[in-house]
């Protein structure tokens, strides 16, 4: 006679219970996975609003995250700064941190120029600057017009530009003359209209800029082009004329992207507007 004990087979009720538990476990795992994927797909800090009742610290974090992703060019083509972030952007653009960030960008240009370039001194070494919020500041205008929280009124902005009262960005002013003094030709490529040429020249000279080789502004034939294409075409004309463009500095990605590419590009911070 065997000493082993034979267990009775599980009852149908027991089997059904175990199957139910296993199905429930798989359902919960699948549900969590799907929720995670949906959350990941839905996460876009441009579309996130205060639907979760963000506390003050949460709103600050959200707005700083939005601002940083604008600078990284992850957020593109926005027309307005999110209303809940206008105060945050205003504080940044008028802060010592904005000044420090801009100054650091300029220091990186200086570091690059100290060792990058075998300048030939043949009149074909070149550098490109944007104008607005690169050489001249539009912050006085935006102080009266919502710091990106109001839809851009091009007529009002151009009327302000015609007054020729935009202040220089001091860190850029110093860099401008340092590059020029190296014998590098400076080209200014701006998305301003050709109708603003006289006002722009007067403004630049009044605040201390002089000696650039050419100021390129948008004519009637350029108005239908996106800014990036317009600036790329202007850059291509310089390359076709034999210029070696050692670098570009601007506050918009449209100023530094596109072909022909150059040796280095440097972007200054700007969280107020986006131009493509």
């Amino acid at each position: 006679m065997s000493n082993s004990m034979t267990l009775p087979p599980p009852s149908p009720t027991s089997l059904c219970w175990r199957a139910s538990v296993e199905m429930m476990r798989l359902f919960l795992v699948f549900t969590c996975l799907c929720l995670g994927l949906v959350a990941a797909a839905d996460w876009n800090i441009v579309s996130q609003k205060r639907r979760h009742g963000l506390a003050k610290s949460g709103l600050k974090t959200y707005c700083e995250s939005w601002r940083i992703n604008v600078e990284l060019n992850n957020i593109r083509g926005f027309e307005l700064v999110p209303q809940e972030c206008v105060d945050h952007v205003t504080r940044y653009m008028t802060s010592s941190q904005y000044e420090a960030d801009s100054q650091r960008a300029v220091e990186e240009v200086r570091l690059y120029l100290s060792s990058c370039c075998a300048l030939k001194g043949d009149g074909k070494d070149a550098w490109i600057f944007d104008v607005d919020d690169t050489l001249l500041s539009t912050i006085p205008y935006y102080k009266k017009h919502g710091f990106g929280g109001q839809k851009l009124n091009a007529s009002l902005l151009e009327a302000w530009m015609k007054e020729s009262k935009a202040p220089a960005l001091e860190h850029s002013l110093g860099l401008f003359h340092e590059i020029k003094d190296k014998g590098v030709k400076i080209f200014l490529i701006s998305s301003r209209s050709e109708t603003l040429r006289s006002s722009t020249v007067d403004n630049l000279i009044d605040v201390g800029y002089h000696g650039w080789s050419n100021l390129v502004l948008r004519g009637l034939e350029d108005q239908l082009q996106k800014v990036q294409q317009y600036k790329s075409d202007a850059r291509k004309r310089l390359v076709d004329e034999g210029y070696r463009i050692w670098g570009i500095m601007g506050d918009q990605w449209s100023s530094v992207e596109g072909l022909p590419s150059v040796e280095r590009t440097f972007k200054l911070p700007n969280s107020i507007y986006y131009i493509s």
Side-chain angles (χ1 to χ4, degrees), residues 3-227:
N3 291 328
S4 62
M5 182 179 295
T6 302
L7 297 175
S11 68
T13 302
S14 175
L15 288 173
C16 288
W17 180 82
R18 291 179 182 176
S20 297
V21 170
E22 183 63 16
M23 289 180 66
M24 181 61 73
R25 186 183 70 81
L26 291 173
F27 175 77
L28 290 173
V29 170
F30 179 77
T31 300
C32 291
L33 179 59
C34 287
L35 287 174
L37 291 173
V38 170
D42 282 351
W43 173 244
N44 181 319
I45 58 178
V46 173
S47 63
Q48 294 298 304
K49 300 300 179 185
R50 299 178 67 181
R51 61 188 184 189
H52 299 301
L54 290 172
K56 185 175 181 180
S57 60
L59 179 60
K60 180 180 178 181
T61 299
Y62 156 70
C63 290
E64 181 62 8
S65 181
W66 183 87
R67 189 188 70 76
I68 289 297
N69 276 271
V70 167
E71 298 296 355
L72 293 173
N73 207 26
N74 293 330
I75 297 174
R76 304 181 182 188
F78 65 91
E79 292 186 357
L80 295 173
V81 173
Q83 285 300 312
E84 60 268 46
C85 295
V86 171
D87 287 346
H88 181 83
V89 168
T90 299
R91 284 192 295 271
Y92 171 73
M93 293 297 294
T94 56
S95 71
S96 59
Q97 186 62 57
Y98 166 72
E99 292 290 332
D101 292 345
S102 299
Q103 184 61 44
R104 182 54 190 265
V106 167
E107 290 302 325
E108 290 300 317
V109 176
R110 290 191 176 106
L111 181 62
Y112 164 69
L113 288 171
S114 68
S115 60
C116 72
C117 315
L119 302 179
K120 294 187 177 180
D122 58 357
K124 292 297 184 180
D125 297 307
W127 189 277
I128 294 173
F129 283 101
D130 186 16
V131 174
D132 290 306
D133 296 305
T134 299
L135 299 181
L136 302 175
S137 175
T138 64
I139 286 179
Y141 171 82
Y142 283 103
K143 280 182 177 179
K144 298 179 180 179
H145 297 278
F147 271 92
Q150 299 175 13
K151 191 168 183 178
L152 176 64
N153 185 316
S155 296
L156 285 179
L157 179 58
E158 288 198 356
W160 179 81
M161 290 175 173
K162 284 180 179 178
E163 295 176 1
S164 303
K165 293 181 180 179
L169 292 167
E170 293 299 326
H171 43 268
S172 298
L173 179 59
L175 179 66
F176 175 97
H177 288 293
E178 288 176 32
I179 293 176
K180 181 169 62 71
D181 291 345
K182 289 178 178 288
V184 177
K185 287 192 173 181
I186 292 179
F187 294 88
L188 312 183
I189 302 178
S190 171
S191 58
R192 288 189 178 200
S193 168
E194 180 65 41
T195 59
L196 293 169
R197 177 170 295 277
S198 178
S199 302
T200 302
V201 170
D202 289 345
N203 199 160
L204 288 165
I205 292 174
D206 286 347
V207 297
Y209 295 103
H210 54 83
W212 61 83
S213 295
N214 194 15
L215 169 62
V216 181
L217 301 175
R218 296 182 81 174
L220 290 176
E221 68 279 9
D222 304 314
Q223 295 301 319
L224 296 179
Q225 282 187 309
K226 286 193 171 183
V227 171

